[in-house]
Amino acid sequence: MLITRSLRLCVLKTPSFILTPSKTVCSKVPFCSMMANEEMTTEMEGLSTKFNLITEGKATIIQPESVFYNPVQEFNRDITIAVISEFATDHIQHVKELRQKKAKAAGEIGEADGTDLDAPLEAGKHHPHGMKILEGLAASGLRSMRFGHEIPGVQKIICNDFDKQAAEIIAKNITRNGLSELVEASCADASMLMYQNRFGFDVVDLDPYGTAAPFLDSAVKSVREGGLLCITCTDAATLCGNTPEKCFTMYGSLPLRSKFCHEMAMRIILRCLESHAARHSRYIVPLISLSIDFYFRIFVKVYSGQKKAKFSATHTGMVYQCSGCGAFKTQNLAEATPAKGDNFKFSATKGPPVAEKCEHCGSRHQMGGPLYLGPLHDKDFIHRVIGRVVSEGEGFRTGKRLEGMLSTAQEELDTPLYYEADGLYQTDIMRAWVNQLELKPKRNVPGTAGFKILSEKPSVEVDFTEHPGAIPKSRSQNLIRWQEKEADKNNSEADKDKNSDSENVS
């Protein structure tokens, strides 16, 4: 049982609920409780739906019983708050540069007005030059309420949903959270709202149920120069190759069923996003790209510039993967050759980079893509976000996992796709390793991919001594990457207490 501060105990009594003034007790699912029908009738006059009361972070909202609250998605909201909070620093710098540019053009010296942009940013307070944030698919508005309470440097948050009742509930939740100065309820089609506000937002957050593909074109037009776009896609089965034809209709790419399918899925989303941006002479710079549980979460900055938008073809490409041993190669669609001045000449890449049959095992290749082949992360930005998460301490309930996943992303090699060690062992690609062993005949059957591979001697000499960098910091420190069960959290805290007691005794 979990005790929280801000709710009151609800005791079941047929056919309604009775409130007992005391500490709130919630079972199993943290920070979730049912509110009494009598209070709901007063607060939601005109709406006959029954409601739950949800508390997460610093926000408390009412939510229809029919709407599913998933506590696992708290990580999604936590990382978004951490990223946007860090982006707020970039935003204020952007405002400073615009004011300096404006003052220089007008021949003025100093700032355009007396606002002190160097003052510390505070969460929950209106900032006259702060960020304008759009949550396009808000449902009951939990995410926006948390934004209002927890993100510093905010001017306005537009909390939008197409459903009229959802918009009414959002308005009630704004009042309940005392955020009328920061958050504004909106009832509109998300795409139309973004199309009508070209360059109108500093941050756009889209967290749909399923694919975000229908919203990407309007999204890349709605963020200002250097603005932040936060995208969730929960259609992992489609993006990972279960229905490649559906993925092609939604994203314009064919995925492969492979060990690297989750990274390929992120690169397909980024390619789709960049292709929409390029149509409007814009381009993207990925900040963080993560595969989390059952969904993908992408954070990118969007800039304008026809010249740089042309380079999108140079980091878009195809992947060729052997259907036997799994070896793969990628190929960019175009290459840029320096020309006169600072210009470039673009031409199609010559290929393919593979023969008709795999050079290692003789099997045929599968071709997937197109996909984004550029960097997935800005590691300096990740470092800043990790610092913010650590400094917040208990501010994020999923803080330990945030630190673990971001640290892992920061340690990743900045190259497209990857091999898994067990996949290499399954097909015995590591000739040099096997060359040191006495291979049993039953493990080396003629006609298999492994037999073909091992029939050739290794062309390089390999030292199998463990490299000092083989164990990354995130692993040596046992940083958390997966969603913790409540029991595991309690055990972890108990272990920390024991260790602390032991240290005090010693």
Side-chain angles (χ1 to χ4, degrees):
M1 305 292 278
L2 188 73
I3 296 179
T4 66
R5 295 180 180 176
S6 56
L7 308 182
R8 289 173 291 173
L9 177 64
C10 302
V11 181
L12 182 61
K13 196 170 185 178
T14 309
S16 61
F17 293 88
I18 297 177
L19 289 174
T20 303
S22 68
K23 294 179 180 177
T24 300
V25 180
C26 306
S27 60
K28 294 186 179 179
V29 179
F31 305 116
C32 179
S33 179
M34 181 73 75
M35 202 175 191
N37 285 348
E38 54 184 272
E39 184 170 337
M40 289 293 92
T41 303
T42 302
E43 182 163 337
M44 298 302 297
E45 186 176 352
L47 298 176
S48 58
T49 307
K50 292 183 179 180
F51 294 85
N52 291 338
L53 190 66
I54 306 293
T55 296
E56 183 184 286
K58 296 181 179 179
T60 300
I61 66 162
I62 51 174
Q63 180 172 280
E65 282 185 343
S66 58
V67 177
F68 174 60
Y69 168 71
N70 188 352
V72 175
Q73 284 285 63
E74 184 175 358
F75 179 84
N76 185 325
R77 291 180 281 271
D78 278 357
I79 194 171
T80 304
I81 289 168
V83 169
I84 299 177
S85 296
E86 191 57 42
F87 175 76
T89 304
D90 296 347
H91 171 76
I92 295 301
Q93 183 61 34
H94 171 75
V95 174
K96 286 182 180 179
E97 292 172 356
L98 287 180
R99 288 171 61 178
Q100 290 169 0
K101 186 177 180 180
K102 182 179 179 181
K104 185 177 180 180
E108 300 173 357
I109 300 176
E111 298 184 6
D113 59 44
T115 304
D116 185 5
L117 294 177
D118 294 323
L121 302 178
E122 295 184 56
K125 291 188 176 181
H126 174 268
H127 193 293
H129 296 285
M131 299 175 292
K132 296 177 182 176
I133 303 173
L134 169 66
E135 184 189 3
L137 309 163
S140 54
L142 173 59
R143 186 176 295 249
S144 286
M145 302 309 122
R146 287 197 62 189
F147 286 179
H149 284 299
E150 301 174 43
I151 294 178
V154 173
Q155 181 183 147
K156 179 66 69 177
I157 299 169
I158 305 299
C159 186
N160 177 75
D161 198 276
F162 185 67
D163 183 78
K164 182 179 178 181
Q165 184 178 6
E168 292 173 352
I169 294 169
I170 289 169
K172 294 293 184 182
N173 282 327
I174 293 171
T175 302
R176 164 178 284 277
N177 284 271
L179 293 171
S180 299
E181 188 181 21
L182 281 179
V183 186
E184 178 182 316
S186 168
C187 183
D189 178 273
S191 292
M192 291 305 299
L193 180 61
M194 290 186 285
Y195 276 130
Q196 291 166 356
N197 288 273
R198 187 177 184 185
F199 307 137
F201 303 106
D202 302 294
V203 180
V204 171
D205 188 349
L206 297 173
D207 184 44
Y209 180 79
T211 179
F215 307 102
L216 297 185
D217 190 73
S218 54
V220 296
K221 295 186 69 175
S222 65
V223 290
R224 55 93 169 160
E225 180 70 6
L228 178 65
L229 190 53
C230 316
I231 301 291
T232 299
C233 291
T234 64
D235 52 338
T238 298
L239 283 161
C240 289
N242 282 8
T243 51
E245 73 288 352
K246 184 177 180 180
C247 184
F248 187 81
T249 61
M250 297 300 294
Y251 296 94
S253 297
L254 280 175
L256 297 178
R257 291 287 300 274
S258 59
K259 293 290 185 180
F260 52 68
C261 64
H262 291 91
E263 181 182 331
M264 187 174 184
M266 291 190 293
R267 293 184 178 279
I268 286 174
I269 296 169
L270 286 169
R271 197 239 33 122
C272 184
L273 185 58
E274 185 175 58
S275 68
H276 283 290
R279 295 185 187 108
H280 306 292
S281 297
R282 308 200 82 185
Y283 62 96
I284 63 171
V285 176
L287 297 180
I288 303 175
S289 307
L290 296 175
S291 172
I292 309 166
D293 300 327
F294 54 89
Y295 62 92
F296 304 97
R297 188 64 168 156
I298 308 292
F299 300 91
V300 302
K301 284 185 176 181
V302 183
Y303 294 92
S304 300
Q306 186 177 18
K307 188 172 183 178
K308 287 194 174 182
K310 291 178 179 178
F311 280 87
S312 63
T314 64
H315 44 249
T316 298
M318 309 297 289
V319 58
Y320 299 82
Q321 185 179 36
C322 174
S323 58
C325 67
F328 68 85
K329 287 187 178 179
T330 60
Q331 182 175 38
N332 299 62
L333 294 180
E335 56 187 17
T337 306
K340 187 176 180 180
D342 59 350
N343 295 316
F344 287 85
K345 181 180 180 181
F346 296 88
S347 58
T349 305
K350 297 178 176 62
V354 295
E356 182 179 357
K357 294 186 177 180
C358 176
E359 61 180 308
H360 305 294
C361 70
S363 301
R364 300 291 294 272
H365 290 91
Q366 291 181 306
M367 185 172 67
L371 62 155
Y372 176 82
L373 296 177
L376 291 175
H377 316 292
D378 180 332
K379 295 189 178 182
D380 290 336
F381 185 79
I382 291 180
H383 180 75
R384 288 165 50 192
V385 176
I386 292 174
R388 177 174 290 274
V389 170
V390 173
S391 67
E392 286 284 337
E394 300 298 324
F396 295 112
R397 278 177 30 87
T398 66
K400 293 296 183 184
R401 189 186 182 197
L402 282 172
E403 183 185 359
M405 286 205 69
L406 291 171
S407 297
T408 302
Q410 192 177 31
E411 293 164 352
E412 288 178 350
L413 296 175
D414 206 5
T415 55
L417 310 179
Y418 58 88
Y419 293 104
E420 285 189 351
D422 60 346
L424 297 178
Y425 295 139
Q426 288 171 7
T427 52
D428 293 327
I429 294 177
M430 300 178 70
R431 294 192 187 100
W433 174 257
V434 176
N435 194 48
Q436 300 181 13
L437 308 174
E438 185 179 344
L439 197 63
K440 296 179 180 179
K442 67 177 183 179
R443 304 296 298 272
N444 196 19
V445 181
T448 63
F451 182 85
K452 168 66 176 175
I453 292 168
L454 295 178
S455 64
E456 300 180 21
K457 293 183 178 181
S459 58
V460 295
E461 191 173 321
V462 182
D463 181 2
F464 287 99
T465 304
E466 186 176 33
H467 191 279
I471 306 298
K473 180 180 176 182
S474 60
R475 191 180 303 170
S476 64
Q477 295 183 352
N478 294 319
L479 297 180
I480 298 168
R481 293 175 55 198
W482 316 110
Q483 184 78 13
E484 286 188 293
K485 295 180 181 178
E486 203 61 33
D488 294 337
K489 288 184 181 179
N490 295 335
N491 291 336
S492 177
E493 292 300 322
D495 291 340
K496 287 181 181 178
D497 293 339
K498 288 180 181 178
N499 293 335
S500 178
D501 293 340
S502 299
E503 291 173 4
N504 292 333
V505 171
S506 61

